[in-house]
Amino acid sequence: MTGAEFLLRCLRDQGLGHVFLVPGGHIDPLVAELGKGAGLQPIVAAHEEGAGFMADGFARVNGRFGVCMCIGGPGASNILPAAIAAMSDRSRVLFITGDVPTTLQGRGAFQDGSMEGTRDTGFLRLATTFSEEVELISQFPRQLAAAFRAMGGVPPGPVHLSIPTDMQKAELPTDTAFPSPSAEPSRPVDLAALVRVAQRVLASAGKLAILAGRGCVASRAGEPLCAFAEKYEVPVATTFAAKGVLPYDHRLCLGMFGYAGTNRAITTLLGGDLDVLLVLGSSMNLRDTLFWSRELAARTQIIQVDIDPTMLGRDYPVPYTIVGDCQQTLEQLCSFADGPLWPLADSAKARRRWTAELKALPAHFDDEHLTSDATPIHPARLIGELRRALPRETILFVDSGAHRAFAGHYWESFGPGGVRSATNLGPMGWAIPAAIGGKLARPDTPVAVITGDGCMRMHGMEIATAARYRVPVLFVVSNNSALGNVYLRARKENPGAAEMTLLPEVDWAAFGRVLGAGGARVEVPRDLAAAVRAAVAASGPFVLDVVTQRDCLTPVSPYNTMAAEYAHAHHD
Ligand SMILES: Cc1ncc(C[n+]2csc(CCOP(=O)(O)OP(=O)(O)O)c2C)c(N)n1
Ligand SMILES: [Mg+2]
């Protein structure tokens, strides 16, 4: 069994269905092995960065891991942004790069990726949790097992192996054991700390709310979160990464807090009468806490639960911290109803009146934009029409730009993982290939993308990959002929700055059709509903090019206010 055979058999053993790659000399033996068609479908991307984003989207949706393969040297340097995006959001991607044979390394060989050449493992080590080169075939099984352990560890993240061509061809004993990445790492809870906090803080909490973060999605905590919220009548706000973890129309769902958060969530958390906030699986970063609101910290007792101890109280004065997996923590808390949390169960009735009042608050800051008849089309209207036409279970991949703020604020999500976005890094164009990976991971679920014309200029070419493999993703372009987010700031500076943020007009529907996808363009609001319905009904990938306004403000005014207050307080 060769090294290439070993790797692919191991991946197949794990039930992996797809590998995302760009072929090239360094991985010829792997490509030859893949070509034998043994159960792994190769998806050839236009660009290695696209292949990496696809593997990332695939991993996020299948909940396990994704694999990206390419050559070393220029291929390895092209996957660097994908590794950084996966690292920023703790996504499990195995990056495999090839290299020149070990015998040629350090001697001026073309595209030498070794530490004597472009140093692939050197720079990818900074962007992953594990990066090694296979120098001896006998070490390969151990290294692969170590890579899998690092990928699924606490915290999880992307890993990298550089496999020179001679190592791909070298023989391993046929009885070599395969590593087993499927073994779920243990997901402990500090039970003693949980009981203490439950007795001292939670049990007597009057107005108690939850802020659910990425950890709730990653640990599949949707059901126990719902059970806990209902048992004790606790309203739930989410971060962007956790949108939908409680269905938007659930009576206890407040929608999203933080950047582009809803009126309901922001008013509840910052309104001044919250007693206790239980933060589950959120690192409490700048965007998700609206600049670490000092008012919230001053008035409210905060409890933070996270599987990763380094996230606890990182930038926020959190008095109560618990190391724990979100799913396990919530299950424990549910079981405390007859024990340490009986007083909280007792006070649930009183909280029910409060939560009904919260749900009666206006959901958004500017609801009227959802039905705006303006031309060019208001981005909120676009999101509203998309929501009406797309099935409830749709997974929406959200890109970076003004359209992200509109999607964050107005898109309603009805299940854990219903929204996917590179929230911590925000690399433009990520959503386009990531959605292709996501759709391949869950072919029966509708997948759509909201992106911008600037993002299309970066990774729109991967629509050719969706067309090639007939992956039916709906790509919606909010086409405002601008780097919209940046334009909104630049126009306040001077005409020269604004000019730099404008983009030439492009017919993205025609672009989609040239690449083999379907395509339609919408310019007026009255045509939008029918066009969205037709696009949703399309059998293959489809580009819906929607001409939108660029001058309307994004729904982030609380964020801007808090940013100004923070700058004032810190003399920034
Ligand atoms: C790779 C990368 N470069 C630059 C940025 C900074 N940036 C954030 S949004 C944005 C403009 C996005 O334009 P577009 O895709 O048209 O979306 P719109 O804002 O118009 O909705 C830019 C330049 C980024 N997030 N990522
Ligand atoms: Mg734009």
Side-chain angles (χ1 to χ4, degrees):
M1 175 173 53
T2 64
E5 238 182 306
F6 172 73
L7 174 66
L8 298 187
R9 273 173 60 178
C10 171
L11 299 179
R12 227 174 24 242
D13 254 34
Q14 293 306 318
L16 192 78
H18 299 82
V19 172
F20 303 91
L21 77 156
V22 174
H26 285 173
I27 56 168
D28 279 350
L30 272 166
V31 169
E33 199 54 45
L34 268 173
K36 293 178 185 164
L40 275 171
Q41 156 99 56
I43 302 291
V44 176
H47 190 290
E48 289 87 354
E49 189 173 341
F53 288 160
M54 284 177 205
D56 181 0
F58 183 86
R60 293 182 198 221
V61 173
N62 84 358
R64 296 185 60 226
F65 68 102
V67 175
C68 167
M69 292 182 188
C70 61
I71 64 168
S77 59
N78 274 353
I79 58 170
L80 185 61
I84 294 174
M87 189 73 166
S88 301
D89 283 348
R90 296 296 179 187
S91 178
R92 298 180 183 97
V93 181
L94 169 61
F95 291 98
I96 302 283
T97 58
D99 199 355
V100 297
T102 49
T103 49
L104 297 187
Q105 291 178 0
R107 300 165 56 196
F110 179 61
Q111 294 179 335
D112 179 352
S114 75
M115 286 309 276
E116 319 302 324
T118 52
R119 306 179 190 183
D120 298 350
T121 53
F123 63 79
L124 282 166
R125 184 161 299 160
L126 299 175
T128 57
T129 59
F130 175 101
S131 174
E132 284 188 7
E133 182 175 1
V134 180
E135 291 169 353
L136 277 175
I137 191 64
S138 58
Q139 288 291 319
F140 182 30
R142 182 195 60 74
Q143 289 174 297
L144 187 58
F148 275 128
R149 278 200 308 279
M151 186 165 66
V154 175
V159 294
H160 168 239
L161 273 174
S162 165
I163 316 178
T165 47
D166 54 337
M167 295 297 120
Q168 294 170 40
K169 290 192 270 191
E171 287 290 328
L172 276 164
T174 44
D175 60 350
T176 307
F178 295 113
S180 57
S182 64
E184 283 261 319
S186 71
R187 300 185 296 155
V189 179
D190 181 347
L191 200 55
L194 188 64
V195 171
R196 214 166 36 240
V197 169
Q199 282 170 335
R200 284 200 203 150
V201 192
L202 274 177
S204 55
K207 289 184 173 167
L208 164 69
I210 287 177
L211 177 63
R214 177 189 310 282
C216 288
V217 179
S219 70
R220 294 183 283 274
E223 275 183 32
L225 176 66
C226 194
F228 176 83
E230 288 176 359
K231 191 184 272 287
Y232 304 103
E233 285 296 325
V234 185
V236 178
T238 75
T239 65
F240 202 130
K243 253 175 99 73
V245 68
L246 202 65
Y248 185 80
D249 51 1
H250 190 286
R251 67 186 163 79
L252 293 166
C253 178
L254 300 171
M256 189 176 100
F257 183 68
Y259 178 82
T262 62
N263 175 49
R264 275 186 196 136
I266 293 176
T267 306
T268 304
L269 266 59
L270 301 185
D273 64 350
L274 193 64
D275 299 320
V276 180
L277 180 67
L278 176 58
V279 180
L280 294 162
S282 162
S283 66
M284 304 195 78
N285 62 30
L286 177 153
R287 281 196 164 189
D288 292 343
T289 60
L290 291 173
F291 281 84
W292 309 283
S293 161
R294 285 175 304 156
E295 288 78 6
L296 178 65
R299 295 194 216 103
T300 302
Q301 293 189 291
I302 300 178
I303 305 166
Q304 188 187 3
V305 179
D306 205 287
I307 188 83
D308 180 357
T310 64
M311 287 299 125
L312 294 173
R314 188 181 54 166
D315 287 303
Y316 213 86
V318 179
Y320 305 99
T321 58
I322 299 162
V323 179
D325 168 83
C326 293
Q327 185 198 53
Q328 308 273 319
T329 300
L330 284 159
E331 280 172 3
Q332 288 289 348
L333 289 175
C334 286
S335 76
F336 287 175
D338 299 323
L341 281 189
W342 70 263
L344 191 65
D346 233 32
S347 59
K349 210 179 277 158
R351 252 186 318 280
R352 186 161 191 154
R353 279 191 298 278
W354 173 57
T355 55
E357 284 166 24
L358 297 176
K359 201 70 182 183
L361 291 168
H364 307 113
F365 288 107
D366 306 292
D367 256 332
E368 68 279 9
H369 293 328
L370 279 167
T371 48
S372 163
D373 281 328
T375 303
I377 293 166
H378 195 290
R381 172 81 187 264
L382 168 59
I383 302 293
E385 297 288 356
L386 286 175
R387 183 59 285 182
R388 265 189 289 284
L390 283 159
R392 203 176 149 88
E393 68 275 18
T394 298
I395 302 177
L396 184 70
F397 280 76
V398 181
D399 228 324
S400 285
H403 57 277
R404 177 207 290 277
F406 287 106
H409 196 67
Y410 294 106
W411 176 262
E412 299 165 2
S413 183
F414 299 103
V419 167
R420 300 287 181 176
S421 189
T423 47
N424 283 330
L425 187 70
M428 284 168 66
W430 174 91
I432 299 162
I436 298 171
K439 179 68 186 177
L440 288 165
R442 213 182 290 165
D444 297 334
T445 303
V447 171
V449 175
I450 176 86
T451 187
D453 49 329
C455 291
M456 283 292 283
R457 285 169 180 269
M458 293 209 181
H459 290 292
M461 192 50 77
E462 296 299 351
I463 289 168
T465 310
R468 175 174 178 178
Y469 297 99
R470 304 304 300 157
V471 187
V473 171
L474 171 59
F475 301 94
V476 180
V477 186
S478 172
N479 186 0
N480 53 12
S481 298
L483 300 168
N485 243 10
V486 194
Y487 164 78
L488 288 174
R489 294 189 301 271
R491 70 175 180 174
K492 290 196 253 172
E493 297 295 337
N494 57 60
E499 161 63 24
M500 278 184 264
T501 64
L502 296 178
L503 297 172
E505 276 232 9
V506 171
D507 181 340
W508 293 108
F511 174 85
R513 287 194 299 269
V514 164
L515 298 182
R521 186 176 172 95
V522 186
E523 295 181 352
V524 290
R526 68 171 177 278
D527 293 343
L528 197 50
V532 173
R533 274 199 306 275
V536 170
S539 57
F542 197 94
V543 179
L544 189 65
D545 180 19
V546 182
V547 180
T548 50
Q549 286 180 37
R550 63 168 165 251
D551 281 293
C552 47
L553 292 180
T554 49
V556 297
S557 56
Y559 175 86
N560 288 340
T561 307
M562 305 286 277
E565 281 176 21
Y566 184 87
H568 181 71
H570 293 79
H571 312 290
D572 279 359

